[in-house]
């Protein structure tokens, strides 16, 4: 399919189909198209919601549930029921609140669903029933049964339901709770207090729910979700932004000859200099003498656009030992508009002779330059600056980058036997690591072992892979080397050179 460019409500179905494939980013433009004119968008949304999307690379259930909750549309009830059959243990908040907002309209279908799921799997449905604000003997009976099945859950639901008729059963349950279980007795008493303090339950109003919270104004395609075929199509997109991002998605990846041909065509003749630069970067792994000479000609041409020269600098990072290339990279560093790209080329060269360029920018007001400075401290192992990275551990926007770079650079004895101890030290210093952060740090420590000519410890048997996680911001970081180094990986001998320029040289 083509990438929709019309964010009109009448295009809701096509927009959702494209987003579910990763062709469209999840942003406020998409959400506005869904919520601003429901009369136009609702048919497309309901059509999409009724389909099976289990195999879609991008799960849009959270977005659909948030939108349907905002719209308070009864037509979404079948979709809510479908989701509840799947989310039996931990239903999405928007799913719960959206169903509750429908009130009596949802009563009969939810009662039928509870009967279908049974007591063991019906907890989330019972909670929704208790919040509908509808007094019904069948609901009360279900909640009283849940009080016997799970006093904590049943008490909470009865407190929300708010029917004084439940108080005797709760008081009886309190009398049966052992005296040493003060927590449960308190929770049950709280349920009684809640019944006495409010009338019937009610859902939130649409005005209280901000469906746009947490979404950017605009976002490009999700290239991690796209097939190579889709990414190839995006190389010809009418938007220069899309073409540049599509080209960047092939950076440090193997690709087919048709992709190579298109990237080369873009590098040589795209109308946008930024696109040309990203295309040169994507072609960096190709060992072709004439192509490398063409890149050097771009890099060293003072008349060429700076964005294109910056891309050529990154593409030629592993040729930084060439005096002409090195001088051109340093010249780009001296220009504020290309400093970030020059610094990226420097650390990607793994040449510690560039170390002096990074410390001055660790606290730069320019985010792009600051990010490259952090990476430089890590990948070039600038241990004298490592502790400056710790100031970013409490900043959610920079924590992942700082953790990764600090694991690469903090002064420590690097041996396979001591690397787990270093992981524990990082965990303590960082105030505890999440599961994703732990994997990210392990990745960095394996990379550090390889740079010292040692076998990895944490991922010894995996092929080249870069871990993408909600806590990881390393879109531009090199993939860790596998046990047998790839051509563009740091050489396992510890020289600091890339494998193809060292032990892998023919």
């Amino acid at each position: 399919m083509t990438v929709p460019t019309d964010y009109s409500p009448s295009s809701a179905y096509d927009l959702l189909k494209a987003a579910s494939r990763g062709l469209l980013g999840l942003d406020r433009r998409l959400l506005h198209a869904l919520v601003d004119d429901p009369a136009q968008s609702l048919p497309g949304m309901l059509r999409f919601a009724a389909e099976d999307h289990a195999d879609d690379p991008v799960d849009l259930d959270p977005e659909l549930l948030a939108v349907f909750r905002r719209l308070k549309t009864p037509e979404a009830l079948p979709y809510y029921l479908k989701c509840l059959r799947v989310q039996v243990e931990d239903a999405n908040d928007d799913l719960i609140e959206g169903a509750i907002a429908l009130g009596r309209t949802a009563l009969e279908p939810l009662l039928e669903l509870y009967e279908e799921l049974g007591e063991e799997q019906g907890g989330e449905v019972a909670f929704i029933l208790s919040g509908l604000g509808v007094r019904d003997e069948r609901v009360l009976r279900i909640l009283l049964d849940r009080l016997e099945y799970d006093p904590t859950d049943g008490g909470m639901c009865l407190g929300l339901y708010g029917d004084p008729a439940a108080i005797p059963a709760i008081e009886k349950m309190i009398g049966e709770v052992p005296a040493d279980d003060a927590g449960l007795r308190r929770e049950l008493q709280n349920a009684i207090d809640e019944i006495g303090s409010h009338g019937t339950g009610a859902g939130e109003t649409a005005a209280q729910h901000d469906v746009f919270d947490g979404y950017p104004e605009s976002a490009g395609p999700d290239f991690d979700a796209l097939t190579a075929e889709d990414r190839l199509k995006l190389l010809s997109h009418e938007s220069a932004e899309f073409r540049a991002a599509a080209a960047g998605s092939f950076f440090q990846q193997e690709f087919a000859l048709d992709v190579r041909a298109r990237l080369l065509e873009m590098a040589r003749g795209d109308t946008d200099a930024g696109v040309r630069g990203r295309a040169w970067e994507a072609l960096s792994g190709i060992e072709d003498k004439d192509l490398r000479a063409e890149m050097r000609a771009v890099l060293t041409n003072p008349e060429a656009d700076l964005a294109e020269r910056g891309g050529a600098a990154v593409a030629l990072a592993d040729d930084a030992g060439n005096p002409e290339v090195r001088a051109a990279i340093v010249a780009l560093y001296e220009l504020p508009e290309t400093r970030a790209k020059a610094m990226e080329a420097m650390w990607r060269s793994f040449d510690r002779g560039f170390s002096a360029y990074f410390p001055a920018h660790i606290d730069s007001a320019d985010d792009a330059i600051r990010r490259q400075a952090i990476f430089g401290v890590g990948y070039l192992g600038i241990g004298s600056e490592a502790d400056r990275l710790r100031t970013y551990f409490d900043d959610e926007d920079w924590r992942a980058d700082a953790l990764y770079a600090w694991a690469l650079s903090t002064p420590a004895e690097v041996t396979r036997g001591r690397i787990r101890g270093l992981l524990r030290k990082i965990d303590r210093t960082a105030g505890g690591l999440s599961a994703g952060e732990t994997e990210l740090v392990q990745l960095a420590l394996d990379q550090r072992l390889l740079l010292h000519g040692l076998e990895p410890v944490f991922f010894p048997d995996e092929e080249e892979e870069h871990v993408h996680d909600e806590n990881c911001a390393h879109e531009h970081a090199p993939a860790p080397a596998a046990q047998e180094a790839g051509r563009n990986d740091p050489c396992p001998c510890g020289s600091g050179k890339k494998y193809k320029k060292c032990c892998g040289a023919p």
Side-chain angles (χ1 to χ4, degrees):
M1 67 178 296
T2 58
V3 182
T5 57
D6 176 17
Y7 283 85
S8 67
S10 60
S11 302
Y13 179 78
D14 290 335
L15 292 169
L16 290 168
K17 286 288 287 186
S20 71
R21 283 180 54 177
L23 290 165
L24 281 185
L26 304 182
D27 58 28
R28 295 190 179 193
R29 294 174 300 174
L30 174 63
L31 294 173
H32 275 295
L34 301 180
V35 304
D36 286 355
D37 187 354
Q40 291 289 318
S41 63
L42 193 56
M45 286 192 286
L46 293 173
R47 176 187 171 191
F48 181 86
E51 297 173 346
D52 181 5
H53 295 284
D55 295 328
D56 287 353
V58 179
D59 177 16
L60 293 185
D61 282 339
E63 285 69 36
L64 277 176
L65 290 169
V67 168
F68 283 142
R69 173 187 173 188
R70 166 72 171 255
L71 299 180
K72 299 178 68 172
T73 176
E75 290 93 335
L77 184 54
Y79 177 64
Y80 290 154
L81 300 176
K82 181 174 75 170
C83 291
L84 282 168
R85 288 185 175 90
V86 176
Q87 301 178 27
V88 292
E89 293 186 356
D90 188 16
N92 177 294
D93 286 346
D94 287 325
L95 169 56
I96 292 173
E97 296 297 340
I100 286 176
L102 299 182
R104 184 171 294 277
T105 301
L107 177 62
E108 297 299 332
L110 285 170
L111 287 170
E112 292 177 9
L113 181 59
Y114 186 84
E115 182 70 21
E116 173 190 326
L117 295 176
E119 192 170 56
E120 183 175 352
Q121 293 189 308
E124 298 289 58
V125 178
F127 181 80
I128 295 172
L129 284 167
S130 68
L132 289 180
V134 179
R135 295 285 172 82
D136 187 287
E137 282 297 321
R138 294 167 295 176
V139 175
L140 180 59
R141 185 164 58 250
I142 286 172
L143 301 184
L144 290 174
D145 287 344
R146 292 203 68 79
L147 181 67
E148 296 290 334
Y149 175 76
D150 183 342
T152 298
D153 180 64
M156 177 182 65
C157 288
L158 286 167
L160 177 62
Y161 187 57
D163 189 344
I167 292 178
I170 301 174
E171 290 176 334
K172 180 175 180 294
M173 179 61 68
I174 292 175
E176 297 172 357
V177 174
D180 59 354
D181 193 347
L184 178 55
R185 296 170 67 90
R186 184 169 55 252
E187 288 174 4
L188 292 171
Q189 184 58 53
N190 287 342
I192 293 175
D193 295 341
E194 186 176 0
I195 290 172
S197 65
H198 70 74
T200 60
E204 295 182 30
T205 65
Q208 292 175 304
H209 178 54
D210 182 5
V211 72
F212 304 103
D213 184 39
Y215 289 89
E217 289 295 335
S218 63
D222 183 349
F223 287 100
D224 290 332
L226 290 177
T227 64
E229 180 182 0
D230 282 336
R231 287 188 289 149
L232 174 58
K233 291 178 181 177
L234 286 174
L235 292 176
S236 299
H237 196 275
E238 63 184 38
S239 164
E241 180 183 358
F242 274 41
R243 294 196 304 277
S249 75
F250 289 102
F251 183 52
Q252 291 197 325
Q253 292 192 3
E254 293 184 4
F255 42 76
L257 290 176
D258 55 349
V259 174
R260 172 176 172 170
R262 176 61 188 138
L263 288 169
L264 188 55
E265 179 184 6
M266 295 167 68
R268 288 170 173 167
D270 196 277
T271 56
D272 185 87
V275 174
R276 297 197 298 273
R278 294 303 292 275
W280 286 126
E281 290 180 30
L283 292 164
S284 63
I286 296 176
E287 291 298 317
D288 182 292
K289 181 179 179 180
D290 293 335
L291 179 59
R292 306 292 285 187
E294 193 172 351
M295 290 177 180
R296 285 194 298 274
V298 171
L299 173 61
T300 58
N301 179 7
E303 302 300 322
D305 190 284
L306 289 175
E308 183 176 2
R309 291 176 64 193
V314 172
L316 292 168
D318 55 358
D319 287 341
N322 179 313
E324 184 182 34
V325 171
R326 190 181 195 86
I329 292 173
V330 171
L332 290 177
Y333 168 84
E334 299 298 337
L335 301 173
E337 54 266 58
T338 51
R339 182 166 294 151
K341 277 296 180 186
M343 292 170 67
E344 182 180 352
M346 288 174 178
W347 67 255
R348 286 190 182 280
S349 74
F350 298 100
D351 183 343
R352 292 183 178 175
F354 285 122
S355 296
Y357 291 92
F358 293 89
H361 303 292
I362 293 173
D363 302 314
S364 173
D366 184 313
D367 285 353
I369 292 174
R370 187 191 320 184
R371 177 161 281 110
Q372 300 311 323
I374 291 172
F375 287 164
V377 169
Y379 280 100
L380 299 185
I382 310 174
S384 61
E385 305 298 323
D387 272 358
R388 293 178 62 189
L389 304 180
R390 293 170 58 179
T391 62
Y392 292 112
F393 287 180
D394 294 327
D395 187 329
E396 64 179 15
D397 293 330
W398 293 96
R399 178 175 167 87
D401 291 344
L403 283 172
Y404 191 88
W406 196 69
L408 283 170
S409 60
T410 187
E413 182 180 351
V414 180
T415 66
R416 297 183 85 250
R418 293 182 179 273
I419 205 70
R420 294 187 185 278
L422 182 52
L423 174 62
R424 291 192 292 271
K425 173 186 175 182
I426 294 170
D427 180 73
R428 292 193 302 270
T429 304
L433 299 173
S434 68
E437 289 171 345
T438 298
E439 192 168 4
L440 180 68
V441 170
Q442 289 173 338
L443 194 77
L445 294 176
D446 271 355
Q447 179 89 340
R448 189 166 181 176
L449 287 169
L450 285 162
L451 287 168
H452 283 76
L454 302 171
E455 296 291 333
V457 166
F458 300 104
F459 305 104
D461 301 320
E462 295 186 8
E463 296 296 323
E464 279 192 23
E465 178 183 354
H466 178 61
V467 178
H468 289 276
D469 179 86
E470 62 182 356
N471 296 306
C472 177
H474 294 275
E475 298 92 343
H476 302 295
Q483 228 172 317
E484 294 185 6
R487 296 276 294 159
N488 289 303
D489 290 328
C491 189
C493 76
S495 67
K497 298 179 181 179
K498 290 200 175 183
Y499 179 68
K500 66 185 180 184
K501 295 291 185 180
C502 191
C503 298

mmCIF file with all atom_site columns, all heavy atoms in Angstrom, residues 90-104:
data_model
loop_
_atom_site.group_PDB
_atom_site.id
_atom_site.type_symbol
_atom_site.label_atom_id
_atom_site.label_alt_id
_atom_site.label_comp_id
_atom_site.label_asym_id
_atom_site.label_entity_id
_atom_site.label_seq_id
_atom_site.pdbx_PDB_ins_code
_atom_site.Cartn_x
_atom_site.Cartn_y
_atom_site.Cartn_z
_atom_site.occupancy
_atom_site.B_iso_or_equiv
_atom_site.pdbx_formal_charge
_atom_site.auth_seq_id
_atom_site.auth_comp_id
_atom_site.auth_asym_id
_atom_site.auth_atom_id
_atom_site.pdbx_PDB_model_num
ATOM 1   N N   . ASP A 1 90  ? -5.110  -8.089 33.101 1.00 0.00 ? 90  ASP A N   1
ATOM 2   C CA  . ASP A 1 90  ? -4.659  -6.715 33.336 1.00 0.00 ? 90  ASP A CA  1
ATOM 3   C C   . ASP A 1 90  ? -5.142  -5.845 32.182 1.00 0.00 ? 90  ASP A C   1
ATOM 4   O O   . ASP A 1 90  ? -4.385  -5.504 31.284 1.00 0.00 ? 90  ASP A O   1
ATOM 5   C CB  . ASP A 1 90  ? -3.132  -6.676 33.443 1.00 0.00 ? 90  ASP A CB  1
ATOM 6   C CG  . ASP A 1 90  ? -2.611  -5.314 33.876 1.00 0.00 ? 90  ASP A CG  1
ATOM 7   O OD1 . ASP A 1 90  ? -3.419  -4.508 34.370 1.00 0.00 ? 90  ASP A OD1 1
ATOM 8   O OD2 . ASP A 1 90  ? -1.407  -5.051 33.698 1.00 0.00 ? 90  ASP A OD2 1
ATOM 9   N N   . ALA A 1 91  ? -6.392  -5.489 32.220 1.00 0.00 ? 91  ALA A N   1
ATOM 10  C CA  . ALA A 1 91  ? -6.996  -4.732 31.124 1.00 0.00 ? 91  ALA A CA  1
ATOM 11  C C   . ALA A 1 91  ? -6.452  -3.312 31.073 1.00 0.00 ? 91  ALA A C   1
ATOM 12  O O   . ALA A 1 91  ? -6.158  -2.692 32.097 1.00 0.00 ? 91  ALA A O   1
ATOM 13  C CB  . ALA A 1 91  ? -8.518  -4.706 31.261 1.00 0.00 ? 91  ALA A CB  1
ATOM 14  N N   . ASN A 1 92  ? -6.313  -2.805 29.863 1.00 0.00 ? 92  ASN A N   1
ATOM 15  C CA  . ASN A 1 92  ? -5.886  -1.434 29.615 1.00 0.00 ? 92  ASN A CA  1
ATOM 16  C C   . ASN A 1 92  ? -6.835  -0.456 30.316 1.00 0.00 ? 92  ASN A C   1
ATOM 17  O O   . ASN A 1 92  ? -8.051  -0.636 30.314 1.00 0.00 ? 92  ASN A O   1
ATOM 18  C CB  . ASN A 1 92  ? -5.888  -1.228 28.093 1.00 0.00 ? 92  ASN A CB  1
ATOM 19  C CG  . ASN A 1 92  ? -5.540  0.160  27.657 1.00 0.00 ? 92  ASN A CG  1
ATOM 20  O OD1 . ASN A 1 92  ? -6.278  1.097  27.914 1.00 0.00 ? 92  ASN A OD1 1
ATOM 21  N ND2 . ASN A 1 92  ? -4.430  0.289  26.961 1.00 0.00 ? 92  ASN A ND2 1
ATOM 22  N N   . ASP A 1 93  ? -6.284  0.587  30.929 1.00 0.00 ? 93  ASP A N   1
ATOM 23  C CA  . ASP A 1 93  ? -7.118  1.574  31.639 1.00 0.00 ? 93  ASP A CA  1
ATOM 24  C C   . ASP A 1 93  ? -8.146  2.208  30.723 1.00 0.00 ? 93  ASP A C   1
ATOM 25  O O   . ASP A 1 93  ? -9.287  2.467  31.141 1.00 0.00 ? 93  ASP A O   1
ATOM 26  C CB  . ASP A 1 93  ? -6.238  2.660  32.254 1.00 0.00 ? 93  ASP A CB  1
ATOM 27  C CG  . ASP A 1 93  ? -5.480  2.174  33.472 1.00 0.00 ? 93  ASP A CG  1
ATOM 28  O OD1 . ASP A 1 93  ? -5.826  1.092  33.995 1.00 0.00 ? 93  ASP A OD1 1
ATOM 29  O OD2 . ASP A 1 93  ? -4.541  2.871  33.906 1.00 0.00 ? 93  ASP A OD2 1
ATOM 30  N N   . ASP A 1 94  ? -7.754  2.498  29.481 1.00 0.00 ? 94  ASP A N   1
ATOM 31  C CA  . ASP A 1 94  ? -8.708  3.105  28.553 1.00 0.00 ? 94  ASP A CA  1
ATOM 32  C C   . ASP A 1 94  ? -9.824  2.137  28.204 1.00 0.00 ? 94  ASP A C   1
ATOM 33  O O   . ASP A 1 94  ? -10.968 2.554  27.989 1.00 0.00 ? 94  ASP A O   1
ATOM 34  C CB  . ASP A 1 94  ? -7.984  3.551  27.274 1.00 0.00 ? 94  ASP A CB  1
ATOM 35  C CG  . ASP A 1 94  ? -7.120  4.773  27.491 1.00 0.00 ? 94  ASP A CG  1
ATOM 36  O OD1 . ASP A 1 94  ? -7.512  5.640  28.287 1.00 0.00 ? 94  ASP A OD1 1
ATOM 37  O OD2 . ASP A 1 94  ? -6.036  4.862  26.884 1.00 0.00 ? 94  ASP A OD2 1
ATOM 38  N N   . LEU A 1 95  ? -9.514  0.855  28.151 1.00 0.00 ? 95  LEU A N   1
ATOM 39  C CA  . LEU A 1 95  ? -10.544 -0.150 27.924 1.00 0.00 ? 95  LEU A CA  1
ATOM 40  C C   . LEU A 1 95  ? -11.544 -0.157 29.072 1.00 0.00 ? 95  LEU A C   1
ATOM 41  O O   . LEU A 1 95  ? -12.770 -0.135 28.860 1.00 0.00 ? 95  LEU A O   1
ATOM 42  C CB  . LEU A 1 95  ? -9.882  -1.524 27.766 1.00 0.00 ? 95  LEU A CB  1
ATOM 43  C CG  . LEU A 1 95  ? -10.772 -2.756 27.780 1.00 0.00 ? 95  LEU A CG  1
ATOM 44  C CD1 . LEU A 1 95  ? -11.856 -2.675 26.719 1.00 0.00 ? 95  LEU A CD1 1
ATOM 45  C CD2 . LEU A 1 95  ? -9.924  -4.022 27.582 1.00 0.00 ? 95  LEU A CD2 1
ATOM 46  N N   . ILE A 1 96  ? -11.053 -0.154 30.291 1.00 0.00 ? 96  ILE A N   1
ATOM 47  C CA  . ILE A 1 96  ? -11.934 -0.170 31.463 1.00 0.00 ? 96  ILE A CA  1
ATOM 48  C C   . ILE A 1 96  ? -12.786 1.092  31.521 1.00 0.00 ? 96  ILE A C   1
ATOM 49  O O   . ILE A 1 96  ? -14.021 1.027  31.655 1.00 0.00 ? 96  ILE A O   1
ATOM 50  C CB  . ILE A 1 96  ? -11.088 -0.321 32.743 1.00 0.00 ? 96  ILE A CB  1
ATOM 51  C CG1 . ILE A 1 96  ? -10.454 -1.720 32.794 1.00 0.00 ? 96  ILE A CG1 1
ATOM 52  C CG2 . ILE A 1 96  ? -11.945 -0.073 33.986 1.00 0.00 ? 96  ILE A CG2 1
ATOM 53  C CD1 . ILE A 1 96  ? -9.473  -1.910 33.935 1.00 0.00 ? 96  ILE A CD1 1
ATOM 54  N N   . GLU A 1 97  ? -12.133 2.255  31.412 1.00 0.00 ? 97  GLU A N   1
ATOM 55  C CA  . GLU A 1 97  ? -12.873 3.510  31.538 1.00 0.00 ? 97  GLU A CA  1
ATOM 56  C C   . GLU A 1 97  ? -13.815 3.724  30.356 1.00 0.00 ? 97  GLU A C   1
ATOM 57  O O   . GLU A 1 97  ? -14.901 4.295  30.509 1.00 0.00 ? 97  GLU A O   1
ATOM 58  C CB  . GLU A 1 97  ? -11.892 4.678  31.654 1.00 0.00 ? 97  GLU A CB  1
ATOM 59  C CG  . GLU A 1 97  ? -11.025 4.652  32.901 1.00 0.00 ? 97  GLU A CG  1
ATOM 60  C CD  . GLU A 1 97  ? -11.828 4.754  34.185 1.00 0.00 ? 97  GLU A CD  1
ATOM 61  O OE1 . GLU A 1 97  ? -12.987 5.211  34.133 1.00 0.00 ? 97  GLU A OE1 1
ATOM 62  O OE2 . GLU A 1 97  ? -11.284 4.382  35.240 1.00 0.00 ? 97  GLU A OE2 1
ATOM 63  N N   . GLY A 1 98  ? -13.395 3.279  29.175 1.00 0.00 ? 98  GLY A N   1
ATOM 64  C CA  . GLY A 1 98  ? -14.268 3.420  28.011 1.00 0.00 ? 98  GLY A CA  1
ATOM 65  C C   . GLY A 1 98  ? -15.535 2.602  28.149 1.00 0.00 ? 98  GLY A C   1
ATOM 66  O O   . GLY A 1 98  ? -16.633 3.061  27.822 1.00 0.00 ? 98  GLY A O   1
ATOM 67  N N   . ALA A 1 99  ? -15.401 1.378  28.647 1.00 0.00 ? 99  ALA A N   1
ATOM 68  C CA  . ALA A 1 99  ? -16.577 0.534  28.849 1.00 0.00 ? 99  ALA A CA  1
ATOM 69  C C   . ALA A 1 99  ? -17.458 1.074  29.970 1.00 0.00 ? 99  ALA A C   1
ATOM 70  O O   . ALA A 1 99  ? -18.691 1.099  29.855 1.00 0.00 ? 99  ALA A O   1
ATOM 71  C CB  . ALA A 1 99  ? -16.126 -0.891 29.159 1.00 0.00 ? 99  ALA A CB  1
ATOM 72  N N   . ILE A 1 100 ? -16.844 1.530  31.053 1.00 0.00 ? 100 ILE A N   1
ATOM 73  C CA  . ILE A 1 100 ? -17.619 2.091  32.160 1.00 0.00 ? 100 ILE A CA  1
ATOM 74  C C   . ILE A 1 100 ? -18.432 3.291  31.711 1.00 0.00 ? 100 ILE A C   1
ATOM 75  O O   . ILE A 1 100 ? -19.594 3.485  32.119 1.00 0.00 ? 100 ILE A O   1
ATOM 76  C CB  . ILE A 1 100 ? -16.678 2.466  33.327 1.00 0.00 ? 100 ILE A CB  1
ATOM 77  C CG1 . ILE A 1 100 ? -16.205 1.205  34.051 1.00 0.00 ? 100 ILE A CG1 1
ATOM 78  C CG2 . ILE A 1 100 ? -17.365 3.420  34.301 1.00 0.00 ? 100 ILE A CG2 1
ATOM 79  C CD1 . ILE A 1 100 ? -15.209 1.467  35.161 1.00 0.00 ? 100 ILE A CD1 1
ATOM 80  N N   . ALA A 1 101 ? -17.845 4.111  30.836 1.00 0.00 ? 101 ALA A N   1
ATOM 81  C CA  . ALA A 1 101 ? -18.534 5.327  30.381 1.00 0.00 ? 101 ALA A CA  1
ATOM 82  C C   . ALA A 1 101 ? -19.808 5.021  29.616 1.00 0.00 ? 101 ALA A C   1
ATOM 83  O O   . ALA A 1 101 ? -20.689 5.890  29.490 1.00 0.00 ? 101 ALA A O   1
ATOM 84  C CB  . ALA A 1 101 ? -17.594 6.161  29.510 1.00 0.00 ? 101 ALA A CB  1
ATOM 85  N N   . LEU A 1 102 ? -19.958 3.801  29.112 1.00 0.00 ? 102 LEU A N   1
ATOM 86  C CA  . LEU A 1 102 ? -21.162 3.458  28.354 1.00 0.00 ? 102 LEU A CA  1
ATOM 87  C C   . LEU A 1 102 ? -22.350 3.158  29.255 1.00 0.00 ? 102 LEU A C   1
ATOM 88  O O   . LEU A 1 102 ? -23.489 3.072  28.788 1.00 0.00 ? 102 LEU A O   1
ATOM 89  C CB  . LEU A 1 102 ? -20.883 2.259  27.445 1.00 0.00 ? 102 LEU A CB  1
ATOM 90  C CG  . LEU A 1 102 ? -19.792 2.467  26.390 1.00 0.00 ? 102 LEU A CG  1
ATOM 91  C CD1 . LEU A 1 102 ? -19.658 1.220  25.522 1.00 0.00 ? 102 LEU A CD1 1
ATOM 92  C CD2 . LEU A 1 102 ? -20.104 3.686  25.526 1.00 0.00 ? 102 LEU A CD2 1
ATOM 93  N N   . GLY A 1 103 ? -22.106 2.974  30.562 1.00 0.00 ? 103 GLY A N   1
ATOM 94  C CA  . GLY A 1 103 ? -23.206 2.796  31.505 1.00 0.00 ? 103 GLY A CA  1
ATOM 95  C C   . GLY A 1 103 ? -24.096 1.619  31.165 1.00 0.00 ? 103 GLY A C   1
ATOM 96  O O   . GLY A 1 103 ? -23.644 0.532  30.814 1.00 0.00 ? 103 GLY A O   1
ATOM 97  N N   . ARG A 1 104 ? -25.411 1.840  31.240 1.00 0.00 ? 104 ARG A N   1
ATOM 98  C CA  . ARG A 1 104 ? -26.386 0.767  31.085 1.00 0.00 ? 104 ARG A CA  1
ATOM 99  C C   . ARG A 1 104 ? -26.288 0.080  29.720 1.00 0.00 ? 104 ARG A C   1
ATOM 100 O O   . ARG A 1 104 ? -26.599 -1.113 29.602 1.00 0.00 ? 104 ARG A O   1
ATOM 101 C CB  . ARG A 1 104 ? -27.801 1.319  31.300 1.00 0.00 ? 104 ARG A CB  1
ATOM 102 C CG  . ARG A 1 104 ? -28.890 0.263  31.257 1.00 0.00 ? 104 ARG A CG  1
ATOM 103 C CD  . ARG A 1 104 ? -30.221 0.823  31.679 1.00 0.00 ? 104 ARG A CD  1
ATOM 104 N NE  . ARG A 1 104 ? -30.234 1.216  33.081 1.00 0.00 ? 104 ARG A NE  1
ATOM 105 C CZ  . ARG A 1 104 ? -30.447 0.369  34.082 1.00 0.00 ? 104 ARG A CZ  1
ATOM 106 N NH1 . ARG A 1 104 ? -30.645 -0.923 33.842 1.00 0.00 ? 104 ARG A NH1 1
ATOM 107 N NH2 . ARG A 1 104 ? -30.460 0.797  35.329 1.00 0.00 ? 104 ARG A NH2 1
#
